[in-house]
Amino acid sequence: MTRRKIINKDLVLDIAQNLILKKGIQGFTFEALAKKCGITKGGLQYCFGSKDQLIDTLITRWENDFAKSFSELIEKNHFSPLRSYAELTRLAISGDKARAPAMLASMLQTTKRLTRSRQWVQDRINDFSDTDNQEQHYKSSRQGSSQHVRQVHL
């Protein structure tokens, strides 16, 4: 009896992302991915269902990674949401681990993904608006209290 091979989904997603970067979304196939991963096409279908589901999983992973990194920049480096977004975008389009081109190419292939992408960006913009409103409220409350303090001291 042979032991079933365990498929590392994260590794498969990494390889898929690299294939999309190198060959484009049109040149990305389950066959090419299976060969590059050293597994069968059936193994890929078992793990991800279809090429579209694999791409959706890749996009979800990217969104989750972005959200985690976004929070870390704000919490650890005390970056503003806008600066965090800009920094993560810069990192996504530069260097040897550039993911943005692959992700954008895969997002634009279907209306469903394009709608999802637009909503995701709109949610990020709304995050900035909420933060701006909170900062404005904070600044105005501080200005009001400092004016009150100045009046008391006069």
Side-chain angles (χ1 to χ4, degrees):
M1 179 181 227
T2 61
R3 210 169 107 199
R4 293 180 98 183
K5 189 173 187 175
I6 296 173
I7 298 173
N8 180 335
K9 289 183 180 182
D10 283 326
L11 181 59
V12 171
L13 292 172
D14 289 342
I15 294 169
Q17 179 178 292
N18 289 333
L19 278 173
I20 293 169
L21 276 170
K22 289 178 183 170
K23 297 186 180 222
I25 196 71
Q26 300 302 331
F28 173 69
T29 65
F30 254 24
E31 288 177 41
L33 181 59
K35 184 177 180 181
K36 195 84 168 162
C37 293
I39 58 178
T40 65
K41 188 176 169 183
L44 282 177
Q45 290 170 328
Y46 178 78
C47 287
F48 296 100
S50 68
K51 178 180 164 182
D52 282 341
Q53 289 173 320
L54 185 143
I55 291 169
D56 287 340
T57 302
L58 195 57
I59 293 169
T60 298
R61 183 177 79 157
W62 183 76
E63 290 171 344
N64 292 340
D65 288 350
F66 190 96
K68 181 181 174 195
S69 297
F70 183 79
S71 295
E72 287 173 357
L73 282 175
I74 291 171
E75 291 170 19
K76 292 179 182 175
N77 298 348
H78 306 291
F79 284 7
S80 70
L82 184 57
R83 182 168 178 205
S84 297
Y85 184 84
E87 179 64 14
L88 289 173
T89 301
R90 183 187 67 77
L91 293 171
I93 61 173
S94 63
D96 61 340
K97 292 188 175 185
R99 290 201 267 186
M103 300 317 309
L104 288 172
S106 60
M107 286 182 204
L108 298 175
Q109 293 302 306
T110 66
T111 315
K112 178 182 136 196
R113 281 195 206 110
L114 184 56
T115 302
R116 175 182 174 177
S117 174
R118 285 181 179 154
Q119 185 60 52
W120 186 87
V121 170
Q122 185 61 52
D123 290 346
R124 302 298 77 73
I125 291 169
N126 290 342
D127 289 344
F128 303 146
S129 298
D130 291 344
T131 302
D132 288 344
N133 290 337
Q134 290 168 2
E135 287 177 17
Q136 288 295 345
H137 177 70
Y138 175 74
K139 287 177 184 176
S140 66
S141 67
R142 291 206 21 109
Q143 285 174 341
S145 63
S146 64
Q147 287 173 352
H148 176 67
V149 170
R150 276 188 238 135
Q151 289 173 351
V152 170
H153 288 295
L154 293 175

